[in-house]
């Protein structure tokens, strides 16, 4: 069951109805939330329910030990908790890459070193799950809040279906107090949440999939040698919008679903392609992840409180780690490094004192936006390409002006431009929809959204589009 | 009206009306391989979509008339005409299901390697979830006819069949009939479709290379795919202008038969051969297949020079 499928719509309807029906009975309501979330996950990946449940249980027990600072077990419990959750991530995401790299390295020197190998299939959402567990343990160790004492509540936090598969990476101190209070007594910001849900659905089912197929993005990135510079450029630009629509569409739906159940989650995307600097881009793109990296990696490394050179190094470390979080491959590392270098240069530039203030100011306006946009879009080449060899083939292909652009029709270019405009003006469009909703009588309001829902599904492709971020 | 009542009315009506209104989309999304009996919401949505289809007699999903391949095809398609060996420049048409369509599997790696060779033009046409079983979803017979006209290939490389172990819909004596997988009737009809597909290519002077599917991780699915491979291989081997490459053998375990999740690379380091689903190939195993098919092409057509 994936967000946006027809069965998910039915599941959501049933869960929302029962959620509000059972809310007056706290224990039954909590049990219901847990069962619904586990059922949701089991339908996608039943093999790993016990694994996540086991990791959750261990984290819960260790959390209790960490929270008791007078106990001698506090520090070892913290270390064990970090090892367990990082270990989980390592085994499922990085072990095979590590094994092959080390064995190949030894083999190059005619030495034989063999690690055990086995089929490792990463549970969907493992990166997001591990990061939530790690943030919980680190926060407890920092005594930011007390450990959760109710196993049921903690398991709900671990399995809560709206954010379980692909975030936002919700912190325990954001979610658990809401759960303790029984969630909101009504749905706050109903109209904006409904808009968020349908805009997310539209971005995912229609915009992302249409752009992918119309601009032949997968084909262009696989064999750029076959395409003209214009087609490659369109595919690179298109991919920038595809990944945004795909991931932000999922996040929008997740946040809206949580809100329908009476929980408020922080936004994960704030119109990132409107950013005027790389720093601003990262404050708008996958916000929960960026904040996680700041709080749990950048600041412990010293953050800005160290020498300039060291703080630049910290930025690079954080972004290389961010790249590798997406997958154990060189092209993800390079993508992270690209952003790290960009941010480092940006910081160094803003620290320069002898630069003309006019020049500095002009870089915060349109020129800043343009540079940021081109920088981010170029970075997506490394992210999307299968490997570095393909990434360089794409970059090389940008110079193939001799080839005819026979894959791009005028109508495709016009629709792609309209989609780009939608994304650039998304905030205004959402504000407009929110405004007109409040003026609608209930019957018109229902008709409006149901009609829109039907149109979205009618425009959707004829196979279920998978979410890009599920694989991370 | 309070917010909770509003969202309840909206979401419940949406959950019923949208599947009814978009029933064709819904049925197309649910592949027979993926249906999960534990997913009661999926079963409910399918029932709703079927209900909508009953009311909508004009709906064409799942009822595209299809005659048995033998009846549908004129005699000159099923019998081989005079074949001319292909000559340079080669125009290579790669066709298939997700093995040809999806990045990092087989089709794209083959295209990457061929496209940089001299005197070779390549066109890759892949369609996810397609095959010869469901022409109502994607009709490869028609698609190949169009591609022959448009691209005028002289070499075709095909890899498909992973979605084909499902009932075949045929019309016999004017009545719609489903041929169940695992029956002799299914085998005969499927073989006929493969034959029609290959013969059409050969009659257009296109040399055919059919890459069989690898052994699948799931034992039951592996058995079905093995049977499909056997049927395809038998048809291909009847034909002197078509070549069959067994991925089952090439990517097999040391005992030569079963599913092999890992194989050694040139340094002896064990590398994964499949992605998470136990079906599709990794870059490593895709490259093994591609290198083999390129060797065969080189032997037959001297493509490397």
């Amino acid at each position: 069951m994936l967000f946006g499928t027809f069965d998910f719509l039915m599941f959501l309807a049933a869960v929302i109805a029962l959620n509000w029906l059972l809310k007056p009975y706290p224990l039954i309501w909590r049990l219901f939330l847990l069962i619904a979330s586990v059922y949701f996950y089991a339908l996608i990946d039943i093999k790993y329910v016990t694994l996540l449940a086991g990791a959750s249980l261990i984290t819960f027990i260790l959390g209790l030990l960490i929270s008791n600072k007078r106990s001698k077990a506090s520090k070892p419990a913290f270390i064990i908790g970090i090892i367990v959750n990082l270990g989980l991530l390592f085994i499922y995401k990085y072990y095979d890459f590590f094994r092959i790299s080390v064995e190949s390295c030894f083999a190059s020197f005619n030495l034989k070193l063999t690690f055990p190998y086995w089929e490792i299939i990463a549970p969907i959402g493992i990166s997001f799950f591990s990061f939530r567990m790690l943030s919980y343990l680190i926060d407890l160790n920092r005594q930011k809040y007390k450990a959760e004492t109710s196993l049921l509540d903690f398991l709900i936090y671990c399995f809560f279906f709206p954010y379980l598969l692909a975030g936002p990476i919700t912190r325990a101190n954001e979610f658990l107090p809401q759960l303790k209070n029984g969630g909101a007594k009504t749905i706050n910001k109903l109209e904006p949440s409904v808009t968020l849900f349908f805009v997310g659905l539209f971005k995912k089912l229609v915009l992302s999939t249409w752009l992918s197929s119309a601009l032949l993005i997968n084909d262009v990135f696989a064999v750029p040698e076959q395409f003209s510079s214009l087609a490659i450029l369109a595919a690179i630009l298109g991919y920038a919008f595809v990944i945004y629509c795909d991931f932000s569409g999922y996040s929008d739906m997740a946040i809206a679903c949580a809100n329908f159940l009476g929980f408020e989650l922080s936004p994960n995307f704030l119109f990132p392609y409107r950013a005027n600097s790389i720093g601003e881009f990262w404050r708008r793109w996958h916000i929960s992840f960026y904040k996680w990296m700041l709080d749990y990696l950048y600041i412990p490394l010293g953050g800005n409180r160290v020498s300039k050179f060291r703080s630049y190094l910290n930025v690079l470390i954080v972004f290389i780690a961010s790249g590798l979080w997406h997958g154990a491959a060189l092209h993800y590392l390079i993508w992270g490094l690209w952003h790290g270098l960009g941010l480092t240069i940006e910081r160094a530039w803003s620290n320069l004192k002898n630069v003309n203030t006019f020049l500095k100011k002009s870089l915060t306006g349109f020129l800043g936006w343009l540079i940021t946009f081109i920088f981010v879009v170029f970075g997506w080449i490394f992210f999307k390409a299968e490997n570095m060899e393909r990434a360089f083939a794409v970059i090389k292909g940008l110079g193939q002006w001799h080839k005819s652009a026979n894959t791009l029709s005028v109508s495709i270019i016009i629709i792609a431009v309209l989609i780009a405009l939608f994304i650039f003006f998304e905030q205004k469009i959402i504000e407009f929809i929110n405004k007109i909703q409040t003026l609608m009588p209930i019957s018109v309001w229902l008709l409006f959204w149901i009609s829109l829902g039907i149109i979205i599904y009618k425009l959707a492709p004829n196979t279920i589009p998978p979410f890009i971020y599920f694989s991370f | 009206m309070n917010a909770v009542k509003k969202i309840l009315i909206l979401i419940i009506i949406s959950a019923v009306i949208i599947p009814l209104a978009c029933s064709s989309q819904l049925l197309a999304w649910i592949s027979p391989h993926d249906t999960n009996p534990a997913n009661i919401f999926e079963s409910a949505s399918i029932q709703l979509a079927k209900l909508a289809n009953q009311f909508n007699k004009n709906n064409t999903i799942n009822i595209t008339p299809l005659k048995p391949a033998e009846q549908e095809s004129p005699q000159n398609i099923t019998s081989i005409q005079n074949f001319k060996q292909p000559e340079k420049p080669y125009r290579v048409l790669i066709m298939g299901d997700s093995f040809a369509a999806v990045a990092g599997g087989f089709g794209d790696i083959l295209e990457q390697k061929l496209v940089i060779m001299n005197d070779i033009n390549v066109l890759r046409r892949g369609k996810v979830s397609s095959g010869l079983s469901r022409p109502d979803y994607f009709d490869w017979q028609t698609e190949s006819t169009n591609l022959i006209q448009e691209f005028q290939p002289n070499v075709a490389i095909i890899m498909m069949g992973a979605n084909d172990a499902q009932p075949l819909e045929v019309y016999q004596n004017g009545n719609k009939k489903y041929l169940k997988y695992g029956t002799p009737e299914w085998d005969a009809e499927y073989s006929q479709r493969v034959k029609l597909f290959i013969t059409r290519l050969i009659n257009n002077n296109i040399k055919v290379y059919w890459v069989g599917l690898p052994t699948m991780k799931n034992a039951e699915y592996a058995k079905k795919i093995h049977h499909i491979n056997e049927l395809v291989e038998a048809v291909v081997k009847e034909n002197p202008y078509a070549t069959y490459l067994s991925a089952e053998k090439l990517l097999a375990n040391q005992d030569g038969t079963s599913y092999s999740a890992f194989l050694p690379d040139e340094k002896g380091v064990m590398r994964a051969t499949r992605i998470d689903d136990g079906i599709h190939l990794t870059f490593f195993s895709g490259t093994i297949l591609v290198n083999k098919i390129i060797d065969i092409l080189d032997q037959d057509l001297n493509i490397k020079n």
Side-chain angles (χ1 to χ4, degrees), chain A residues 7 39 99 222 226 458 460-461, chain B residues 21 25 29 38-39 111 122 270:
Chain A
D7 47 331
Y39 176 71
R99 178 186 66 78
Q226 293 273 59
K458 289 274 182 197
Chain B
Q25 213 87 15
W29 279 15
N39 187 347
E111 188 183 0
V122 186
M270 299 303 280

Side-chain angles (χ1 to χ4, degrees), chain A residues 12-250:
Chain A
L12 188 62
V15 170
I16 292 172
L18 286 167
N19 173 73
W20 292 102
L21 200 72
L22 297 173
K23 224 165 201 193
Y25 316 101
L27 180 65
I28 300 172
W29 173 65
R30 284 172 159 78
L31 279 170
F32 164 73
L33 280 183
L34 180 62
I35 292 166
S37 295
V38 170
Y39 176 71
F40 173 81
Y41 192 75
L43 286 180
I44 296 170
D45 215 342
I46 195 163
K47 299 187 293 292
Y48 292 117
V49 170
T50 44
L51 180 89
L52 295 197
S56 306
L57 188 65
I58 292 169
T59 306
F60 173 76
I61 295 165
L62 294 172
L64 290 172
L65 293 170
I66 294 165
S67 217
N68 183 4
K69 281 287 167 191
R70 279 175 294 181
S71 158
K72 278 183 183 173
S74 175
K75 201 161 187 183
F78 173 68
I79 294 166
I80 293 168
I82 298 294
I83 291 171
V84 166
N85 284 291
L86 274 182
L88 206 64
L89 200 59
F90 174 78
I91 289 169
Y92 282 103
K93 275 191 84 167
Y94 304 103
Y95 173 73
D96 214 44
F97 176 73
F98 165 81
R99 178 186 66 78
I100 290 170
S101 304
V102 174
E103 286 183 7
S104 298
C105 188
F106 270 72
S108 304
F109 296 103
N110 285 329
L111 297 168
K112 192 155 177 73
L113 178 70
T114 313
F115 290 102
Y117 60 90
W118 60 90
E119 264 187 287
I120 300 168
I121 299 166
I124 293 179
I126 185 72
S127 305
F128 295 92
F129 176 85
S130 300
F131 266 39
R132 274 186 294 120
M133 296 299 100
L134 287 167
S135 73
Y136 175 71
L137 293 170
I138 298 169
D139 284 351
L140 291 182
N141 195 50
R142 289 176 181 174
Q143 294 181 285
K144 264 183 92 173
Y145 46 83
K146 288 264 174 211
E148 177 52 54
T149 51
S150 157
L151 178 60
L152 179 58
D153 285 1
F154 189 73
L155 287 175
I156 295 170
Y157 165 63
C158 296
F159 277 92
F160 191 53
F161 77 89
Y163 57 61
L164 179 60
L165 302 181
I169 305 169
T170 306
R171 313 266 179 101
N173 59 340
E174 186 187 347
F175 181 80
L176 283 167
Q178 295 185 57
L179 184 67
K180 293 273 170 218
N181 290 336
K185 301 294 169 250
T186 184
I187 299 169
N188 300 317
K189 303 177 197 160
L190 172 73
E191 283 79 11
S193 298
V194 174
T195 310
L196 201 62
F197 184 82
F198 281 96
V199 167
L201 194 69
F202 179 62
K203 282 192 287 188
K204 172 61 209 160
L205 288 190
V206 183
L207 301 188
S208 163
T209 49
W210 187 87
L211 278 172
S212 270
S213 64
L215 300 177
L216 302 169
I217 289 172
N218 289 333
D219 290 338
V220 170
F221 273 88
V223 197
E225 292 89 346
Q226 293 273 59
F227 295 88
S228 69
S229 303
L230 191 64
I232 294 172
L233 191 63
I236 297 168
L237 277 166
Y239 184 71
F241 294 121
V242 165
I243 191 156
Y244 169 71
C245 288
D246 189 277
F247 193 22
S248 77
Y250 177 89

Side-chain angles (χ1 to χ4, degrees), chain A residues 1 4-7 9-14 16-17 20 39 43 96 99-100 103-104 107-108 112 117-122 185-187 190-191 194 198 205 219 222-223 225-226 260 386-387 390 442 445-446 449-450 453-454 457-458 460-465, chain B residues 1-4 6-15 17-19 21-22 24-26 28-29 36 38-42 44-45 48 101 103-104 108 111-112 115-116 122-124 127-129 137 217 259 261-262 265 267-272 276 278 283:
Chain A
M1 191 192 293
T5 53
F6 295 93
D7 47 331
L9 269 187
M10 290 192 157
F11 168 79
L12 188 62
I16 292 172
W20 292 102
Y39 176 71
L43 286 180
D96 214 44
R99 178 186 66 78
I100 290 170
E103 286 183 7
S104 298
S108 304
K112 192 155 177 73
Y117 60 90
W118 60 90
E119 264 187 287
I120 300 168
I121 299 166
K185 301 294 169 250
T186 184
I187 299 169
L190 172 73
E191 283 79 11
V194 174
F198 281 96
L205 288 190
D219 290 338
V223 197
E225 292 89 346
Q226 293 273 59
F260 295 155
E386 193 69 21
N387 50 45
R390 287 292 91 194
I442 178 79
W445 184 78
L446 288 171
W449 285 119
I450 292 166
I454 292 171
Y457 279 95
K458 289 274 182 197
N462 59 3
T463 50
I464 301 175
Chain B
M1 190 181 284
N2 74 32
V4 172
K6 273 176 95 173
I7 192 64
L8 278 175
I9 295 171
L10 175 64
I11 197 78
I12 290 170
I13 295 178
S14 299
I17 298 288
I18 292 176
C22 307
S24 54
Q25 213 87 15
L26 192 157
W29 279 15
N36 184 350
N39 187 347
I40 52 172
F41 299 99
E42 189 179 74
S45 64
L48 270 181
D108 63 321
E111 188 183 0
Q112 285 162 19
V115 85
I116 53 172
V122 186
L123 178 70
R124 179 165 56 98
K127 178 77 180 170
V128 173
S129 303
Y137 167 68
K217 185 180 177 186
Y259 170 77
F262 289 87
D265 66 9
K267 289 177 181 171
V269 176
M270 299 303 280
R271 285 176 181 268
D276 290 357
F283 184 79

